[in-house]
Amino acid sequence: MRRKVIAGNWKMNMLPNEAIALIEGLAPKVKNTKNDVIICVPFTDLFYSLLSVQGTNIKVGAQNMHFEESGAYTGEVSGKMLQSINVEYVIIGHSERRQYFAETDETVNKKVKAALKYNLKPIICVGETLEQREEGKAVDVITTQTRLALEGLKPEEMETITIAYEPIWAIGTGKTATSEDANNSIKAIREEVRKLYGDKIADEIIILYGGSVNSSNAKELFETSDIDGGLVGGASLKADEFAKIVNYDE
Ligand code: 13P
């Protein structure tokens, strides 16, 4: 049985005082869950968040990183820097980074490799646009993104990889994929992993759904055969709402 993972992606929200208050509100509400709880916070909140989660079951991730270790890359933060303050997870290749910051399958792959080098656990995002979906290309797009993101990874490196399927048309729009649709897309991603790495890794890899997840639709989504939890944007910014999603199975 794969465990369930509920990860919040705060995006460009929350000042340090707000981050601390949210974590203090969230921690007691999720302390009894058997599900993994992760919050992926802006760089400026990382240090405060890492201090605030001490003694709780909440884990902390970043939302991006550069693939080089150091150098003349003004404004960037490296995997080595994240590792130095004990960040555990990092989101890589979110559609907003692909769309607004020109990230490509190639840079995503470089970042995944750099993250692994510094013992960070990548949460790799894949997902199709509405246009690609309407043209019947969704499965091709997401399986190709998956294959290219993982290119060159050794089987043992797959252990710490999480994939998040986030259809772009469902992000921040209030439109969720139906649980059946999302489950089928995630099955296709899992089959791609099976082709590349075999049964054991395919059956064990955690694949999340993201796109307008909230406390009303979480249970239906997460109880399908292949959806192993969620990458939650807007609904992760309120402790009560995010806790309800984490505790969807209570
Ligand atoms: P929303 O939950 O706000 O739709 O965002 C999803 C997302 O992009 C998480 O990474």
Side-chain angles (χ1 to χ4, degrees):
M1 259 295 270
R2 294 183 296 268
R3 63 188 197 287
K4 296 287 182 187
V5 177
I6 321 296
N9 173 9
W10 291 1
K11 307 193 179 183
M12 196 171 72
N13 295 292
M14 308 299 268
L15 299 176
N17 60 322
E18 296 168 323
I20 294 165
L22 190 147
I23 292 166
E24 282 172 358
L26 179 66
K29 295 190 172 80
V30 299
K31 71 176 193 308
N32 294 323
T33 185
K34 57 182 191 328
N35 305 326
D36 283 14
V37 188
I38 306 167
I39 50 172
C40 297
V41 310
F43 290 129
T44 44
D45 289 336
L46 280 171
F47 200 70
Y48 299 95
S49 301
L50 286 158
L51 290 177
S52 299
V53 301
Q54 278 179 15
T56 76
N57 54 339
I58 302 170
K59 297 164 184 178
V60 174
Q63 300 171 9
N64 179 35
M65 56 172 271
H66 197 273
F67 48 81
E68 294 292 350
E69 176 178 302
S70 63
Y73 300 100
T74 302
E76 292 293 315
V77 170
S78 73
K80 190 174 188 178
M81 290 169 173
L82 297 178
Q83 182 193 37
S84 74
I85 59 167
N86 294 324
V87 172
E88 191 173 346
Y89 290 86
V90 59
I91 296 175
I92 293 180
H94 191 280
S95 61
E96 287 149 16
R97 302 246 16 125
R98 296 180 192 249
Q99 189 180 352
Y100 306 132
F101 302 97
E103 293 207 10
T104 62
D105 290 323
E106 191 189 345
T107 59
V108 168
N109 179 247
K110 283 187 180 173
K111 288 182 180 201
V112 170
K113 286 175 176 162
L116 293 171
K117 182 170 172 194
Y118 297 108
N119 289 322
L120 298 160
K121 299 174 182 164
I123 301 173
I124 303 169
C125 299
V126 301
E128 81 283 0
T129 62
L130 187 58
E131 196 184 351
Q132 289 164 334
R133 185 177 189 83
E134 283 171 349
E135 288 170 358
K137 294 181 183 153
V139 166
D140 188 40
V141 168
I142 59 180
T143 53
T144 302
Q145 286 175 336
T146 301
R147 180 165 43 77
L148 296 176
L150 301 175
E151 202 163 84
L153 262 59
K154 300 185 193 82
E156 61 270 23
E157 291 179 314
M158 291 296 293
E159 263 169 44
T160 56
I161 301 277
T162 300
I163 297 174
Y165 166 62
E166 301 205 310
I168 293 169
W169 48 271
I171 295 178
T173 57
K175 283 186 209 149
T176 332
T178 64
S179 55
E180 193 188 343
D181 254 6
N183 193 45
N184 284 337
S185 296
I186 288 180
K187 268 189 193 163
I189 294 168
R190 201 178 294 288
E191 287 319 301
E192 187 66 20
V193 173
R194 195 179 306 281
K195 268 199 250 165
L196 298 167
Y197 291 100
D199 286 339
K200 184 168 186 297
I201 290 173
D203 291 336
E204 284 177 0
I205 191 165
I206 301 288
I207 310 181
L208 309 178
Y209 167 77
S212 299
V213 174
N214 59 45
S215 60
S216 314
N217 58 29
K219 190 176 167 74
E220 190 187 331
L221 287 160
F222 301 168
E223 283 183 346
T224 54
S225 65
D226 280 66
I227 303 179
D228 301 321
L231 184 56
V232 185
S236 72
L237 297 174
K238 298 229 163 67
D240 271 348
E241 175 69 1
F242 189 54
K244 280 187 200 154
I245 299 172
V246 170
N247 297 322
Y248 77 93
D249 50 352
E250 277 182 5

